[in-house]
């Protein structure tokens, strides 16, 4: 009698046990593995254990806290800083307007106020009283001294303003013109001297404006020496001098007239050269643009 297979000997239950592992039955070890996998792939995950660990935590998805007033203010200031250049220009313009009342401009205003005071003192009591003439000389001397300081202060301490650029030359011409006209009216100075000096001053001022589109004519050393010599000469004529001082003032005035004419011609020459250079540069620039 041949042997019977173990599966047949076991009957139905034995057959089930025999084919159970073959059909993929769950062993205790595999059951624990499946449990772990099911736990790792709980609802809300993305299919593997790593997905659960990589998902953002509640703290990570929590909405950001609203910014504080200080941080909002800082943001506004940072945004406002992009508009700083425009605000800076406005502030700079306000400073320029306020700087009109600086020490240099105040000295110029003082010189302008001294012009009518000088005329009244010069012509007081007929214009020949030595005491009144001395007071007139004091007013003229103060005006000439302030002329030396206001420009220096403006350039040194950056106090240059549009008002100063206009008022300073007007004050210079006003005090000098008033003194020359008064002296000629009183018969102390020939009218032709007054005409030469005032004609030169007004002519050079007009010439500067005519060529300003091409450049600026700088003040020369000769011009500064002319101004100093004119001030000394006119001051000596304002005083009631006699003797050798009266003769000396005549020679000082003659030197002032010579310097006035010489420097005037030099300015005319500079203006012609400056105009020619400006025209040549404009012509060259025009040719370059056409090419």
């Amino acid at each position: 009698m041949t042997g019977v297979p173990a599966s047949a000997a076991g009957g139905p239950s034995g057959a089930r046990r025999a084919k159970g592992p073959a059909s993929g039955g769950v062993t205790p070890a595999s059951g624990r593995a499946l449990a772990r996998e099911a736990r790792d792939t709980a609802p809300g995950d993305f299919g593997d254990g790593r997905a659960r660990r990589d998902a953002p935590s509640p703290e990570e998805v929590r909405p950001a806290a609203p910014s504080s007033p200080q941080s909002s203010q800082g943001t506004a200031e940072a945004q406002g800083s992009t508009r700083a250049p425009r605000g800076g220009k406005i502030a700079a313009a306000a400073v320029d307007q306020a700087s009109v009342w600086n020490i240099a401009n105040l000295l110029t205003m003082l010189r302008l106020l001294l012009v009518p005071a000088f005329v009244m003192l010069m012509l007081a009591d007929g214009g020949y009283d030595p005491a009144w003439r001395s007071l007139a000389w004091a007013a003229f001397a103060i005006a000439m001294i302030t002329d030396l300081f206001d420009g220096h202060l403006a350039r040194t301490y950056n106090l240059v303003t549009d008002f100063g650029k206009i008022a300073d030359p007007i004050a210079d011409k006003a005090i000098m013109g008033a003194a020359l006209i008064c002296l000629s009216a009183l018969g102390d100075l020939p009218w032709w001297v007054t005409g030469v000096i005032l004609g030169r001053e007004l002519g050079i001022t007009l010439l500067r404006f005519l060529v300003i589109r091409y450049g600026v004519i700088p003040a020369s050393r000769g011009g500064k020496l002319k101004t100093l010599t004119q001030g000394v000469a006119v001051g000596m004529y304002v005083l009631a001098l006699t003797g050798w001082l009266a003769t000396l003032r005549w020679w000082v005035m003659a030197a002032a007239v010579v310097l006035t004419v010489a420097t005037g011609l030099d300015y005319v020459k500079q203006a012609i050269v400056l105009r020619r250079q400006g025209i040549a540069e404009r012509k060259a620039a025009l040719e370059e643009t056409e090419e």
Side-chain angles (χ1 to χ4, degrees), residues 66-78:
S67 59
S68 62
Q70 290 80 1
S71 62
S72 300
Q73 182 178 0
T75 304
E77 292 177 354

Side-chain angles (χ1 to χ4, degrees), residues 200-201 204 208 217-231 255-267 270:
R200 183 268 186 196
E201 299 299 333
I204 295 303
R208 286 177 180 271
I217 303 176
S220 62
R221 293 183 178 179
K224 296 178 181 178
L225 180 61
K226 178 269 307 177
T227 302
L228 177 62
T229 308
Q230 282 183 359
V257 172
V258 171
L259 288 173
T260 298
V261 175
T263 55
L265 295 175
D266 181 62
Y267 276 119
Q270 292 186 49

Side-chain angles (χ1 to χ4, degrees), residues 137-273:
W137 177 86
F140 180 81
I142 293 173
M144 297 304 294
I145 291 173
T146 56
D147 181 34
L148 298 177
F149 282 102
D150 60 354
H152 175 72
L153 290 173
R155 292 186 297 270
T156 302
Y157 297 101
N158 194 23
L159 302 176
V160 179
T161 62
D162 292 336
F163 172 81
K165 294 177 182 179
I166 298 173
D168 183 68
I170 292 176
D172 298 342
K173 305 300 185 293
I175 189 66
M176 183 61 68
L180 291 170
I181 291 174
C182 288
L183 290 172
S184 295
L186 294 173
D188 294 339
L189 189 68
W191 278 104
W192 70 266
V193 174
T194 298
V196 168
I197 295 177
L198 292 184
R200 183 268 186 196
E201 299 299 333
L202 296 176
I204 295 303
T205 301
L206 179 61
L207 186 63
R208 286 177 180 271
F209 282 108
L210 291 176
V211 300
I212 196 172
R213 68 181 66 181
Y214 305 110
V216 178
I217 303 176
S220 62
R221 293 183 178 179
K224 296 178 181 178
L225 180 61
K226 178 269 307 177
T227 302
L228 177 62
T229 308
Q230 282 183 359
V232 173
V234 172
M236 294 180 71
Y237 268 87
V238 170
L239 290 173
L241 300 178
T242 58
W244 68 273
L245 289 177
T247 304
L248 178 62
R249 71 182 182 183
W250 186 90
W251 287 104
V252 176
M253 182 58 74
V257 172
V258 171
L259 288 173
T260 298
V261 175
T263 55
L265 295 175
D266 181 62
Y267 276 119
V268 171
K269 178 183 177 181
Q270 292 186 49
I272 294 174
V273 173

